Amino acid sequence: MEKLHFLLIPLMSQSHIIPLTDFAKLLAKRGVTVSIITTPSNADRYNDSVKIPAAKSNLKIQLITVEFPCQQAGLPHGCENMDSLASMDLVIDFFQASDMLREPLEKIVSQLDPKPSCIVDTSAFSWTQDIATKLHIPRYVFQTVSCFTNVISHILKETKAADTDSGTFLIPRIPDNIELRKGQLMENTVKHSDKWVGIMDRIKKAHDLARGNLINSFEELEPWYVNEYKKLRRAVWCVGPVSLCNRETDEKRNRGNRFSSDQDCLPWLDTMKPRSVIYACFGSLCQISPSQLKEIGLGLEASNSPFIWVIRGINFSSQVEKWLEEDGLEERVKGRALIVRGWAPQLEILSHPSIRGFMTHCGWNSALEAVSAGVPMITFPMFAEQFFNEKFIVKVLKIGVRVGVEVGVNSWQEEKKGVMVKREQVKNAIDCLMGDEGEEMSKRAQKLAEMAKKAGEEGGSSSFNISLLIQDVIDATCEVKM
Ligand code: UDP
């Protein structure tokens, strides 16, 4: 085991780096050596989440930095993580910068000692497979989406079920009754251009050549979809929820960005009644307009429930700050609410006994973290596969209530389309979660949390799948030697 060396290459985005770093810890706990590729400013952010547990538990994890060519791709200096993009329109430039990492990384990988036994990336680069093939290293893809999303995306492509003039369409060939709208599909909520389609195409082709797929999910959560996905790919191993590797308080705190101590919600949460607080947070990428933020804030206030509301730094414009001051919302809710500017320790908050529900944009990491903590959700999807996740949470798992977003939106277009969700919808969804229906959802969520925990324990499905992966890497190494 000591001889095995896993090389992990995430897309420089919170929703890829955070779970892959968790996965690194799970691997290192098995005695494997793990190297994670990152960039200088990301290394600065993630140092604590790697070094602290590594030092404490004697894990062999290291970060290897490579310069990120932001300026060469037309991005501002220091823009090394997708959460630093001023607009989602810059995503293409960001992927082009990521493309340019090929050459320096090939050099790094070929010189690594010990040579990597495998490469694991998050399927966001077109060149990882080329390097793996050239250097005779097996490559695996770590997927940050569920099997449900994978299977539904495949069915939609195959059946063209979305090619209809009616407002909604039913997804065929699945056991659940799932209806979607065109405006909720991934391709209609992310920027479309030939360049983007070309990049995605190359990434997909490279994905198809990977030796195996690791999914941040667990088999018991979506058994039918896991089995179906296994029919579509050559090897599929659910290895999650990887966030459950963070058991100690400081591990739960040190994920992703740092936050200032005056934004620490934990002491405040300690003073609140058990299962009374709504946590509202919309991930690391969503750009929410000032008018939508106002509706969210006023809806949270109208609910009369205690709440923590996280407003991402980029959304915290001077207009929003001015509104908060002039409207007096923060003053009015003082004592029963906290407004966090920037980043919150989500994992720590979700596992706090005072939390009753989570208003989320339905990013897969956030959804799975809520499942793992046994917390039901209020779903507020915006773009990409978030509407699929909403369907999964509300219709399949039955642990969520929709706030009522009908059509996805990207970037700042929201102002053009008006406000997606009104304050009454926010209030109604919270009232529902606080009532009898919410109570039933809580019970189901808690059962799922127990199942998630078991999956990760020795003998559990995800733990077993990690063993299968390690064995496959050993087998692949022997095949290369022969
Ligand atoms: N996150 C966090 N604090 C925040 C915002 C996000 O810890 O204030 C973490 C969250 O726990 C999750 C990740 O950032 O692990 C966001 O990933 P997700 O897939 O939910 O959404 P994305 O950021 O890609 O939209």
Side-chain angles (χ1 to χ4, degrees), residues 73-84:
L75 294 166
H77 175 69
C79 183
E80 299 180 12
N81 190 304
M82 274 181 64
D83 70 356
S84 319

Side-chain angles (χ1 to χ4, degrees), residues 13-16 18-19 22 83 144 243 252-253 255-257 279 281-286 310 312 340 342-347 350 358 360-369 383 385-386 389:
S13 176
Q14 299 282 7
S15 59
H16 289 230
I18 290 175
D22 285 343
D83 70 356
T144 56
S243 64
K252 287 183 187 165
R253 306 203 109 195
R255 285 169 96 239
N257 291 346
Y279 168 60
C281 180
F282 304 93
S284 68
L285 296 177
C286 287
V310 185
R312 235 193 109 200
V340 175
W343 189 260
Q346 179 157 303
L347 213 53
L350 282 175
F358 178 18
T360 171
H361 69 307
C362 303
W364 182 242
N365 289 291
S366 294
L368 201 57
E369 287 161 13
F383 67 98
E385 93 294 357
Q386 293 161 11
N389 294 336

Side-chain angles (χ1 to χ4, degrees), residues 69 101 103 132 144 150 176 178 189 198 221 264 300 312 316 394 400 423 429 439 479:
L101 288 176
E103 221 178 285
T144 56
N150 274 308
D176 297 292
I178 307 283
T189 58
L221 185 72
D264 190 355
L300 284 163
R312 235 193 109 200
F316 219 95
V394 175
R423 65 193 78 166
E439 198 50 50
E479 285 163 25

